[in-house]
Amino acid sequence: MQNFDLELKTLQIQNERLLRELAEVHKMLEMPEKQSAYSKEYYTVEDCAGMKGGAALNTYKANRFLLPGCGNPKFSVFIAGRLAFPHDEVMKWLKISDADYIDYAKECGVTVVPEKYLHLAKRAKQKVEVAQC
């Protein structure tokens, strides 16, 4: 009789564990997907800042040079009054580091680079060169 009680208690504990695990799985299945199955055609400044990171949203808003297309209007549009950037340009921009940013700006047709960013790019290139040695 004592063994039967012990086995019954063990089964009850296992059932409780399974129920907790199933409840967690059920919650995960009910949660909507955080990312949609398709990508956006255009991204806002907020979207871009969130994806790229590295700086605060206000920094990106105040410095269009840091955004996709480096401030060149041909790489942006306005949608519902908000500045937005095409998907292809955003994906290209996301891969650019400070070390390559001046070259990217030239590709975008930007001829005048703010002095501050020339220094940032130079420091980033020096760091990359040191890391490669």
Side-chain angles (χ1 to χ4, degrees):
M1 187 69 160
Q2 192 175 4
N3 282 342
F4 179 75
D5 289 341
L6 184 59
E7 288 178 10
L8 184 60
K9 192 69 168 165
T10 303
L11 286 174
Q12 287 176 331
I13 290 171
Q14 289 175 346
N15 282 339
E16 289 174 8
R17 282 187 197 151
L18 285 172
L19 281 173
R20 280 195 300 267
E21 290 174 7
L22 281 174
E24 290 176 11
V25 169
H26 187 24
K27 283 180 189 175
M28 288 176 11
L29 291 174
E30 286 183 340
M31 289 174 49
E33 287 187 11
K34 291 186 179 184
Q35 293 183 347
S36 60
Y38 61 92
S39 62
K40 295 179 180 183
E41 193 170 336
Y42 291 95
Y43 293 88
T44 63
V45 174
E46 290 82 2
D47 295 332
C48 293
M51 290 188 297
K52 182 98 171 190
L57 173 60
N58 285 338
T59 302
Y60 287 108
K61 284 182 174 181
N63 299 292
R64 288 192 62 175
F65 181 74
L66 294 176
L67 293 170
C70 295
N72 187 333
K74 79 176 190 179
F75 293 100
S76 62
V77 296
F78 282 90
I79 299 176
R82 296 183 73 191
L83 185 62
F85 305 92
H87 175 270
D88 292 343
E89 192 59 35
V90 171
M91 294 303 119
K92 185 177 175 183
W93 171 78
L94 285 172
K95 296 175 186 174
I96 304 296
S97 69
D98 281 358
D100 302 320
Y101 212 79
I102 302 304
D103 294 333
Y104 171 68
K106 288 176 184 174
E107 283 179 36
C108 294
V110 175
T111 56
V112 179
V113 177
E115 190 70 27
K116 175 181 179 178
Y117 301 110
L118 288 172
H119 293 297
L120 290 174
K122 184 178 178 183
R123 279 194 300 181
K125 278 188 179 186
Q126 288 172 346
K127 187 169 185 156
V128 167
E129 290 169 2
V130 168
Q132 289 176 350
C133 292

PDB file of all heavy atoms in Angstrom, residues 2 6 16 24 26 45 104 116:
ATOM      1  N   GLN A   2       1.965   1.199   0.721  1.00  0.00           N
ATOM      2  CA  GLN A   2       2.853   2.353   0.802  1.00  0.00           C
ATOM      3  C   GLN A   2       3.513   2.621  -0.556  1.00  0.00           C
ATOM      4  O   GLN A   2       3.654   3.771  -0.958  1.00  0.00           O
ATOM      5  CB  GLN A   2       3.913   2.098   1.871  1.00  0.00           C
ATOM      6  CG  GLN A   2       4.699   3.334   2.223  1.00  0.00           C
ATOM      7  CD  GLN A   2       5.648   3.078   3.370  1.00  0.00           C
ATOM      8  OE1 GLN A   2       5.774   1.955   3.858  1.00  0.00           O
ATOM      9  NE2 GLN A   2       6.300   4.107   3.832  1.00  0.00           N
ATOM     10  N   LEU A   6       3.251   6.010  -2.984  1.00  0.00           N
ATOM     11  CA  LEU A   6       4.450   6.679  -3.469  1.00  0.00           C
ATOM     12  C   LEU A   6       4.413   6.811  -5.003  1.00  0.00           C
ATOM     13  O   LEU A   6       4.734   7.861  -5.550  1.00  0.00           O
ATOM     14  CB  LEU A   6       5.697   5.889  -3.035  1.00  0.00           C
ATOM     15  CG  LEU A   6       7.041   6.511  -3.393  1.00  0.00           C
ATOM     16  CD1 LEU A   6       7.197   7.889  -2.772  1.00  0.00           C
ATOM     17  CD2 LEU A   6       8.177   5.611  -2.950  1.00  0.00           C
ATOM     18  N   GLU A  16       1.710  17.291 -13.052  1.00  0.00           N
ATOM     19  CA  GLU A  16       1.760  18.741 -12.808  1.00  0.00           C
ATOM     20  C   GLU A  16       2.851  19.395 -13.651  1.00  0.00           C
ATOM     21  O   GLU A  16       2.643  20.473 -14.216  1.00  0.00           O
ATOM     22  CB  GLU A  16       1.987  19.013 -11.325  1.00  0.00           C
ATOM     23  CG  GLU A  16       0.780  18.690 -10.459  1.00  0.00           C
ATOM     24  CD  GLU A  16       1.073  18.827  -8.968  1.00  0.00           C
ATOM     25  OE1 GLU A  16       2.147  19.311  -8.601  1.00  0.00           O
ATOM     26  OE2 GLU A  16       0.197  18.437  -8.189  1.00  0.00           O
ATOM     27  N   GLU A  24       2.904  26.524 -21.035  1.00  0.00           N
ATOM     28  CA  GLU A  24       3.888  27.416 -21.644  1.00  0.00           C
ATOM     29  C   GLU A  24       3.879  27.290 -23.167  1.00  0.00           C
ATOM     30  O   GLU A  24       3.936  28.289 -23.883  1.00  0.00           O
ATOM     31  CB  GLU A  24       5.284  27.107 -21.099  1.00  0.00           C
ATOM     32  CG  GLU A  24       5.471  27.510 -19.654  1.00  0.00           C
ATOM     33  CD  GLU A  24       6.835  27.107 -19.103  1.00  0.00           C
ATOM     34  OE1 GLU A  24       7.709  26.708 -19.882  1.00  0.00           O
ATOM     35  OE2 GLU A  24       6.996  27.207 -17.887  1.00  0.00           O
ATOM     36  N   HIS A  26       1.356  26.336 -24.944  1.00  0.00           N
ATOM     37  CA  HIS A  26       0.084  26.917 -25.383  1.00  0.00           C
ATOM     38  C   HIS A  26       0.191  28.443 -25.470  1.00  0.00           C
ATOM     39  O   HIS A  26      -0.261  29.057 -26.439  1.00  0.00           O
ATOM     40  CB  HIS A  26      -1.023  26.499 -24.425  1.00  0.00           C
ATOM     41  CG  HIS A  26      -2.400  26.892 -24.851  1.00  0.00           C
ATOM     42  ND1 HIS A  26      -2.757  27.131 -26.144  1.00  0.00           N
ATOM     43  CD2 HIS A  26      -3.540  27.079 -24.130  1.00  0.00           C
ATOM     44  CE1 HIS A  26      -4.026  27.455 -26.209  1.00  0.00           C
ATOM     45  NE2 HIS A  26      -4.520  27.440 -24.994  1.00  0.00           N
ATOM     46  N   VAL A  45      12.314  56.659 -40.231  1.00  0.00           N
ATOM     47  CA  VAL A  45      13.526  56.948 -39.463  1.00  0.00           C
ATOM     48  C   VAL A  45      13.541  56.093 -38.195  1.00  0.00           C
ATOM     49  O   VAL A  45      14.573  55.537 -37.818  1.00  0.00           O
ATOM     50  CB  VAL A  45      13.609  58.453 -39.124  1.00  0.00           C
ATOM     51  CG1 VAL A  45      14.780  58.736 -38.196  1.00  0.00           C
ATOM     52  CG2 VAL A  45      13.703  59.287 -40.385  1.00  0.00           C
ATOM     53  N   TYR A 104      30.450  54.884 -48.663  1.00  0.00           N
ATOM     54  CA  TYR A 104      29.007  54.749 -48.895  1.00  0.00           C
ATOM     55  C   TYR A 104      28.400  56.106 -49.265  1.00  0.00           C
ATOM     56  O   TYR A 104      27.588  56.208 -50.184  1.00  0.00           O
ATOM     57  CB  TYR A 104      28.328  54.167 -47.650  1.00  0.00           C
ATOM     58  CG  TYR A 104      26.827  54.177 -47.697  1.00  0.00           C
ATOM     59  CD1 TYR A 104      26.126  53.375 -48.595  1.00  0.00           C
ATOM     60  CD2 TYR A 104      26.094  54.987 -46.834  1.00  0.00           C
ATOM     61  CE1 TYR A 104      24.739  53.386 -48.640  1.00  0.00           C
ATOM     62  CE2 TYR A 104      24.722  54.999 -46.868  1.00  0.00           C
ATOM     63  CZ  TYR A 104      24.043  54.193 -47.768  1.00  0.00           C
ATOM     64  OH  TYR A 104      22.672  54.212 -47.817  1.00  0.00           O
ATOM     65  N   LYS A 116      32.819  66.208 -38.646  1.00  0.00           N
ATOM     66  CA  LYS A 116      32.717  65.281 -37.517  1.00  0.00           C
ATOM     67  C   LYS A 116      32.752  63.824 -37.998  1.00  0.00           C
ATOM     68  O   LYS A 116      33.408  62.971 -37.412  1.00  0.00           O
ATOM     69  CB  LYS A 116      31.412  65.544 -36.761  1.00  0.00           C
ATOM     70  CG  LYS A 116      31.128  64.594 -35.646  1.00  0.00           C
ATOM     71  CD  LYS A 116      29.805  64.918 -34.976  1.00  0.00           C
ATOM     72  CE  LYS A 116      29.483  63.945 -33.865  1.00  0.00           C
ATOM     73  NZ  LYS A 116      28.232  64.276 -33.196  1.00  0.00           N
TER      74      LYS A 116
END
